[in-house]
């Protein structure tokens, strides 16, 4: 099973700042990595797939990078609605696995 | 607009059974693989099961293998999860999710979820 480790567990930033979230895989997942956003009481939403492709309707301030074992989700300038939980997920191998999540909170 | 609506959750005793349903609309249901993902209260996301468009390929997490069974009825645009021998650790919100594209099984979109509580 591929283990995804996200860091940091919690990120405290202010609106307008840049956010950098990390996801590290226990073995190569090539570019088969996605990022999801989840707000309290809501279902997750796909943000980025195949490491760097933005899903439909996702603002350009969200970007993904990386390949192999190290990936990054960057939010260039935080909006108030961006404060939420973020999860990475791989589809390189079965079972599909998620990272444990990063909580992005308002400082 | 793509919509996924789960139903069938509720309170069940340990060892009991439950059947979840997910009704899809707004897309070609028989052209996409479908998935179940769960989230225990206050915890992260856990993939549960995936089923290909024709039901030919089915996958399960080790934690549910032998107890949960995924199926689909393309004529009814519906996905199911038969849950047997339920344990307290199966308590979670269960989401169904469509695969983004036929050959890209990212989870998009997700339903609103249905809560399953296993407790005596």
């Amino acid at each position: 099973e591929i283990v995804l480790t996200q860091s940091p567990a919690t990120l405290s930033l202010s609106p307008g700042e840049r956010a950098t979230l990390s996801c590290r895989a226990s073995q190569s997942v090539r570019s088969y990595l996605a990022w999801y956003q989840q707000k309290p009481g809501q279902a997750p939403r796909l943000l980025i797939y195949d490491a760097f492709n933005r899903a439909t309707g996702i603002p350009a301030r969200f970007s993904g990078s990386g390949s192999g074992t190290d990936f990054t989700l960057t939010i260039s300038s935080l909006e108030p609605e961006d404060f939420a939980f973020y999860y990475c997920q791989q589809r390189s191998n079965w079972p599909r696995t998620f990272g444990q999540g990063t909580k992005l909170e308002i400082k | 607009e793509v919509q996924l609506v789960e139903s069938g959750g509720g309170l069940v005793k340990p060892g009991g059974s439950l059947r979840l349903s997910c009704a899809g609309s707004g897309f070609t249901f028989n052209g996409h693989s479908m998935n179940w993902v769960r989230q225990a209260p206050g915890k992260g996301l856990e993939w549960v099961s995936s089923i290909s468009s024709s039901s030919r390929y089915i996958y399960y997490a080790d934690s549910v293998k032998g107890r949960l069974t995924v199926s689909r009825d393309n004529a009814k645009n519906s996905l199911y999860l038969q849950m047997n021998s339920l344990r307290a650790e199966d308590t979670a919100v269960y989401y169904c999710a469509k695969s983004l594209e036929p050959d890209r099984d990212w989870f998009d979109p997700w339903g609103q979820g249905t809560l399953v509580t296993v407790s005596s």
Side-chain angles (χ1 to χ4, degrees):
Chain A
E1 172 176 320
I2 295 176
V3 176
L4 299 178
T5 302
Q6 293 186 239
S7 61
T10 303
L11 185 57
S12 300
L13 294 171
S14 300
E17 290 192 291
R18 181 184 186 90
T20 303
L21 287 68
S22 175
C23 177
R24 176 164 288 179
S26 59
Q27 64 188 77
S28 176
V29 298
R30 293 168 284 177
S31 293
Y32 296 133
L33 191 105
W35 293 91
Y36 298 85
Q37 177 194 65
Q38 186 180 32
K39 298 179 181 179
Q42 296 185 17
R45 175 175 72 147
L46 178 67
L47 295 176
I48 301 287
Y49 64 94
D50 292 346
F52 60 86
N53 292 305
R54 270 191 305 275
T56 302
I58 301 304
R61 64 180 181 274
F62 291 91
S63 64
S65 63
S67 66
T69 61
D70 289 295
F71 299 85
T72 301
L73 173 69
T74 301
I75 310 171
S76 59
S77 179
L78 285 165
E79 297 287 340
E81 62 267 27
D82 299 335
F83 292 91
F85 284 88
Y86 292 84
Y87 297 92
C88 59
Q89 180 239 326
Q90 64 82 21
R91 73 169 190 91
S92 177
N93 283 13
W94 298 99
R96 304 312 195 212
T97 50
F98 289 90
Q100 82 282 12
T102 289
K103 180 181 180 181
L104 178 56
E105 65 176 23
I106 299 177
K107 187 174 182 179
Chain B
E1 179 193 2
V2 174
Q3 278 203 314
L4 298 168
V5 179
E6 301 96 334
S7 60
L11 175 63
V12 60
K13 290 182 168 54
S17 297
L18 213 54
R19 190 195 196 205
L20 306 184
S21 299
C22 171
S25 61
F27 67 103
T28 305
F29 189 84
N30 63 11
H32 293 265
S33 58
M34 296 294 294
N35 312 276
W36 288 101
V37 178
R38 68 184 181 183
Q39 186 170 36
K43 303 297 185 182
L45 302 170
E46 180 188 16
W47 170 79
V48 171
S49 180
S50 296
I51 182 169
S52 65
S53 57
S54 65
S55 302
R56 180 175 182 182
Y57 301 103
I58 290 176
Y59 303 92
Y60 296 101
D62 284 348
S63 58
V64 306
K65 205 171 291 184
R67 301 184 301 114
L68 274 57
T69 303
V70 65
S71 63
R72 63 190 295 163
D73 185 337
N74 287 341
K76 295 182 178 179
N77 289 352
S78 292
L79 173 73
Y80 306 102
L81 188 65
Q82 178 65 43
M83 310 173 73
N84 297 332
S85 304
L86 283 164
R87 306 166 179 168
E89 54 265 36
D90 295 317
T91 295
V93 174
Y94 285 74
Y95 296 101
C96 70
K98 165 187 159 292
S99 290
L100 176 65
E101 295 172 1
D103 60 349
R104 277 174 164 167
D105 59 331
W106 301 116
F107 306 143
D108 180 64
W110 301 50
Q112 85 289 349
T114 188
L115 176 62
V116 172
T117 303
V118 184
S119 174
S120 55

